[in-house]
Amino acid sequence: MKNRKSALILAGTAAALAATLIAAAPAPAAPAAQAAPKLASVHGGGTIFYPYSAKDDIRFTVDAVSTPWTRPFPGAEKGLPTDARGRVTISHYFTESGFTATAEAEVDCLVTGGRTASLTAVVKTSNVGWDGKRIGISVQDGQHGEPDRVGFSWAVANVDVKPDGTVAEGTVGTCMAPAPFTEVTKGGYKVTPAPLAPQPKS
């Protein structure tokens, strides 16, 4: 009888202890809110060395951030995962003539791969007749002591040779830019890479 009573007391104590521990345990954490997708961006400004205008002062300033699925157009009613906004400014001082060519353009597309970005922008104001022209620019964020680099569509890469042999400047599609073929000699750029955004739900 004494052993049975002791067993009942122990069982009751264990139950009370278990109830206390359960009551004291923290409530399960609420499901974490889904993190906003990471956005690609390019920010900075620099002077480049362009070997075919080695004496000139050529500068680019870029402030661009991706805004996926925000620029709808016929055939892509939701826009594109590479849609972007921002501004590009260009200044090219020609040493021989003393003339400075300038242009400001609104970014419409941005895509990244590692520390390299390609973007396009449509010129809004310029003093060289570029208004309405889409330009392509690439930027490489140098790592481990390597210089940053810049490429641009109107320099050495965008030539359209027709079947009859005539030559014209090619058009630039969204996010189309050559490899970053020039070195930045002053200033620099920060490329924040991000994967392409998933398709929006219907």
Side-chain angles (χ1 to χ4, degrees):
M1 186 68 176
K2 183 177 179 180
N3 290 340
R4 184 179 178 186
K5 186 175 181 180
S6 298
L8 289 173
I9 292 172
L10 289 173
T13 302
L17 180 60
T20 301
L21 291 174
I22 291 172
Q34 187 173 2
K38 185 178 180 182
L39 297 177
S41 65
V42 182
H43 299 289
T47 300
I48 65 164
F49 174 74
Y50 182 48
Y52 307 116
S53 299
K55 296 181 181 180
D56 296 350
D57 186 302
I58 305 173
R59 306 180 184 188
F60 293 88
T61 301
V62 179
D63 285 294
V65 62
S66 60
T67 57
W69 314 107
T70 59
R71 293 177 177 270
F73 60 90
E77 283 69 21
K78 295 180 180 179
L80 297 172
T82 52
D83 289 341
R85 61 176 172 79
R87 176 171 291 189
V88 172
T89 60
I90 305 162
S91 172
H92 183 161
Y93 173 75
F94 294 86
T95 301
E96 289 188 4
S97 65
F99 174 72
T100 300
T102 61
E104 290 194 5
E106 290 186 3
V107 175
D108 62 1
C109 190
L110 169 65
V111 64
T112 59
R115 291 295 177 178
T116 300
S118 293
L119 60 102
T120 48
V122 177
V123 176
K124 297 301 179 182
T125 61
S126 76
N127 63 354
V128 288
W130 278 13
D131 300 45
K133 176 180 179 178
R134 177 180 283 112
I135 56 176
I137 295 174
S138 60
V139 176
Q140 185 177 72
D141 187 348
Q143 299 291 297
H144 309 298
E146 296 180 352
D148 291 356
R149 305 180 68 86
V150 172
F152 42 101
S153 60
W154 60 93
V156 296
N158 194 26
V159 177
D160 187 5
V161 181
K162 306 292 184 181
D164 63 1
T166 58
V167 178
E169 181 180 9
T171 57
V172 175
T174 54
C175 274
M176 297 293 101
F181 53 84
T182 67
E183 288 190 5
V184 175
T185 58
K186 185 184 298 183
Y189 302 88
K190 172 65 175 178
V191 174
T192 300
L196 293 175
Q199 280 192 313
K201 295 180 179 179
S202 302

